[in-house]
Amino acid sequence: MPLAFITLSFFDVLDILLVAFLLYQVYMLIRGTVAINIFVGLFLFYLMWLFVKALNMELLGSILGQFIGVGVIALIIVFQQEVRKFLLHLGSRYNFSQKFSFEKWLAVDDKSIKDNEINALIESCENMSKTKTGALIVITKRTDLYSFAETGQIIKARISSSLLESIFYKNSPLHDGALILDNNRILAARCILPVSDNPNIPGSLGLRHRSGIGISQITDAHVIIVSEETGNISYIMGGKIKVRISTSELRRFLNADYSSFVV
């Protein structure tokens, strides 16, 4: 009876899918950064080692094998920032204590509160745009952002346009940094966010925009930015930014209509 050349069991398929998922997550973290070039170089080095090993070139294979043997440690050293982002991404997205908390189970989706929040955000952004008051507002989605909120001043206040404008007023002690919204509340202000190292970000976008892009790359949070230099309003999601949006566009985005989100 002839033997099958390749046999695949359920666990073989599961193994392939898990490896593909991990590689995809790694790619999503390092795409658009200088780390992608290092990753490609290491991958080519690994392919060369396999090729040398297949040709039974023992001397060169043993030398390359020594580098492969300490490859995990080398990867951690080279990609320490990316490894930190990956672990932070997993820890935030799959925070089961937050997903199964009593507050989550007992929360009621009050449409009127959501409408009030949207109106307050739009009014404050419009006023700050006119006066060229810089603002960085992070809107929490599914990923818990409390670890970032702890870097600033915890507030836990109801959202109002006057309070938002007061926080970002240039002489306010809380204006520097990000403001985090969670569950229709102002969770914290003056928060420190990770800055994106994407080299493709235009030079016209400053640190405020890079911070907004950075937090959206490692979490599912959405970000609103008002430029201090131009007064333009920008919206960020998934590491993508749309600049110079109108208040009507901002309202559509806040109502979860992203059909016109083209970058």
Side-chain angles (χ1 to χ4, degrees):
M1 182 177 179
L3 296 176
F5 180 67
I6 297 178
T7 58
L8 288 177
S9 65
F10 169 77
F11 291 104
D12 292 328
V13 176
L14 180 62
D15 186 27
I16 294 173
L17 291 177
L18 289 175
V19 171
F21 174 75
L22 288 175
L23 290 177
Y24 174 76
Q25 291 295 328
V26 171
Y27 169 74
M28 292 299 291
L29 283 176
I30 65 177
R31 65 173 183 173
T33 68
V34 294
I36 187 67
N37 298 325
I38 302 176
F39 181 79
V40 171
L42 291 174
F43 182 72
L44 292 176
F45 183 85
Y46 178 71
L47 290 180
M48 183 176 66
W49 176 69
L50 292 178
F51 180 74
V52 169
K53 189 176 179 182
L55 295 178
N56 293 321
M57 301 173 67
E58 296 184 2
L59 180 59
L60 184 58
S62 62
I63 295 175
L64 296 179
Q66 295 298 319
F67 290 98
I68 297 296
V70 295
V72 175
I73 299 177
L75 285 175
I76 294 176
I77 295 174
V78 174
F79 294 106
Q80 55 180 317
Q81 293 297 329
E82 283 69 26
V83 170
R84 181 179 179 275
K85 288 181 181 179
F86 181 69
L87 295 177
L88 179 61
H89 176 76
L90 289 178
S92 299
R93 184 174 291 276
Y94 304 108
N95 191 336
F96 292 102
S97 63
Q98 291 290 332
K99 290 180 183 294
F100 296 100
S101 64
F102 286 108
E103 293 180 358
K104 293 291 184 180
W105 282 100
L106 299 177
V108 179
D109 185 14
D110 189 341
K111 181 65 177 176
S112 62
I113 295 177
K114 183 179 179 182
D115 288 339
N116 290 336
E117 177 190 40
I118 291 175
N119 292 332
L121 281 169
I122 293 174
E123 182 181 352
S124 61
C125 288
E126 187 175 18
N127 292 335
M128 289 187 291
S129 176
K130 292 177 180 177
T131 59
K132 293 185 177 181
T133 301
L136 174 55
I137 302 173
V138 181
I139 304 173
T140 303
K141 295 298 182 179
R142 295 184 302 274
T143 306
D144 179 61
L145 301 180
Y146 200 82
S147 60
F148 296 102
E150 289 180 323
T151 64
Q153 178 65 50
I154 301 297
I155 297 178
K156 293 185 178 180
R158 291 291 297 268
I159 296 173
S160 67
S161 58
S162 58
L163 180 55
L164 290 172
E165 293 175 44
S166 298
I167 290 175
F168 287 112
Y169 179 64
K170 63 180 180 179
N171 291 330
S172 168
L174 299 178
H175 83 282
D176 194 19
L179 182 142
I180 297 178
L181 304 181
D182 184 25
N183 195 25
N184 297 318
R185 296 288 190 277
I186 298 176
L187 176 59
R190 203 181 62 189
C191 302
I192 301 174
L193 302 182
V195 179
S196 175
D197 57 357
N198 188 341
N200 297 321
I201 298 176
S204 58
L205 301 180
L207 186 60
R208 184 178 285 111
H209 293 81
R210 286 185 172 273
S211 297
I213 295 174
I215 189 66
S216 71
Q217 287 177 325
I218 63 174
T219 71
D220 62 351
H222 292 190
V223 183
I224 304 172
I225 294 178
V226 180
S227 173
E228 188 175 1
E229 289 76 21
T230 63
N232 292 329
I233 302 175
S234 302
Y235 197 85
I236 305 174
M237 54 181 287
K240 304 295 184 180
I241 181 171
K242 184 166 186 180
V243 298
R244 295 187 297 274
I245 65 172
S246 63
T247 53
S248 59
E249 286 181 298
L250 179 59
R251 182 177 294 276
R252 288 201 300 270
F253 295 151
L254 293 174
N255 280 312
D257 178 10
Y258 311 117
S259 56
S260 61
F261 196 92
V262 180
V263 295

